Amino acid sequence: DGGITQSPKYLFRKEGQNVTLSCEQNLNHDAMYWYRQDPGQGLRLIYYSQIVNDFQKGDIAEGYSVSREKKESFPLTVTSAQKNPTAFYLCASSIPGYGNQPQHFGDGTRLSIL
Amino acid sequence: AQSVAQPEDQVNVAEGNPLTVKCTYSVSGNPYLFWYVQYPNRGLQFLLKYITGDNLVKGSYGFEAEFNKSQTSFHLKKPSALVSDSALYFCAVRDYSGGGADGLTFGKGTHLIIQP
């Protein structure tokens, strides 16, 4: 079945440590996104990529980094500069265009601080 | 700038009754509007979208939504609620005059609780 796979499901970060969240899709979508979900705050966009080797900052990019070396993969690194990283992280993909295509979501990674 | 408001944190409905989850939006141009549902510890699932055309949009699992341009609203509805409809619902908007394929703007979500 086509879909988006996020791993790991749960992740713990020590202070000063960088951690990387994996996102892989086999939907052949060009566009991919990372969102952060906090209770009562909805989803906020961290980074997005419309095509391989290109990505753009979203609303809350500080303390995060991404790469897009392959169409299928869009890993997110939470750096030590992100002082409040505890959240549920969601990866999504879509057919690019003018925003009229629905986004398909993975099942998320829950990041906590040790 | 674009924004979405879901005025109710929680909606309680008895099983078998009709349900409505409210959403209002603000965009500078014309909107693309979406509803998603999220079950605990899962990602979001797409329910339906409004792009253009008929104001009443039908989607998955018997849900529908009514687009009202004058009231800038896109309320989610279902004629008869099921206990299995209990979940977190998100409304999202994209201003299509902006071009490109950047992310959607989501509301804060509404917890829908269907009581047996």
Side-chain angles (χ1 to χ4, degrees):
Chain A
D1 285 339
I4 298 178
T5 301
Q6 291 188 241
S7 62
K9 193 169 180 67
Y10 299 95
L11 186 59
F12 298 91
R13 194 190 89 170
K14 296 179 182 178
E15 197 153 338
Q17 184 182 42
N18 293 351
V19 292
T20 297
L21 285 60
S22 171
C23 177
E24 302 279 332
Q25 55 101 356
N26 60 4
L27 298 167
N28 201 33
H29 287 168
D30 285 307
M32 297 187 74
Y33 312 83
W34 274 106
Y35 293 92
R36 171 178 170 144
Q37 183 178 13
D38 295 281
Q41 293 195 41
L43 277 69
R44 292 180 289 168
L45 182 65
I46 305 173
Y47 269 97
Y48 65 97
S49 168
Q50 297 185 43
I51 197 167
V52 174
N53 293 322
D54 184 61
F55 49 82
Q56 306 295 326
K57 292 182 179 180
D59 300 320
I60 56 165
E62 187 175 349
Y64 300 96
S65 66
V66 293
S67 62
R68 187 83 188 277
E69 297 177 2
K70 298 187 300 181
K71 185 176 184 177
E72 302 79 18
S73 179
F74 191 40
L76 173 74
T77 296
V78 184
T79 74
S80 57
Q82 173 50 245
K83 297 307 179 187
N84 183 24
T86 297
F88 191 49
Y89 290 87
L90 289 162
C91 179
S93 71
S94 73
I95 301 169
Y98 291 93
N100 63 358
Q101 299 298 323
Q103 294 181 10
H104 299 257
F105 285 81
D107 278 340
T109 293
R110 190 168 298 280
L111 177 61
S112 303
I113 300 300
L114 279 178
Chain B
Q2 55 197 35
S3 65
V4 176
Q6 293 182 241
E8 300 155 317
D9 290 336
Q10 183 170 306
V11 171
N12 295 281
V13 178
E15 187 176 25
N17 283 1
L19 68 88
T20 299
V21 182
K22 295 180 180 177
C23 171
T24 58
Y25 66 89
S26 175
V27 295
S28 55
N30 290 304
Y32 294 140
L33 292 155
F34 302 81
W35 274 103
Y36 289 84
V37 60
Q38 184 181 36
Y39 296 97
N41 295 311
R42 301 295 301 275
L44 277 64
Q45 297 177 31
F46 168 71
L47 282 177
L48 50 81
K49 67 178 181 180
Y50 172 81
I51 303 302
T52 187
D54 289 340
N55 290 340
L56 185 63
V57 178
K58 293 190 182 296
S60 304
Y61 312 119
F63 284 94
E64 58 189 26
E66 186 169 11
F67 172 67
N68 187 317
K69 188 172 184 178
S70 63
Q71 297 185 7
T72 61
S73 67
F74 189 56
H75 301 331
L76 181 70
K77 300 181 179 184
K78 188 173 183 182
S80 179
L82 300 172
V83 172
S84 57
D85 293 330
S86 298
L88 181 58
Y89 290 79
F90 288 99
C91 181
V93 70
R94 173 74 171 90
D95 180 350
Y96 72 68
S97 64
D102 55 352
L104 296 168
T105 296
F106 286 84
K108 293 185 177 182
T110 298
H111 287 276
L112 177 63
I113 299 175
I114 309 301
Q115 295 153 332

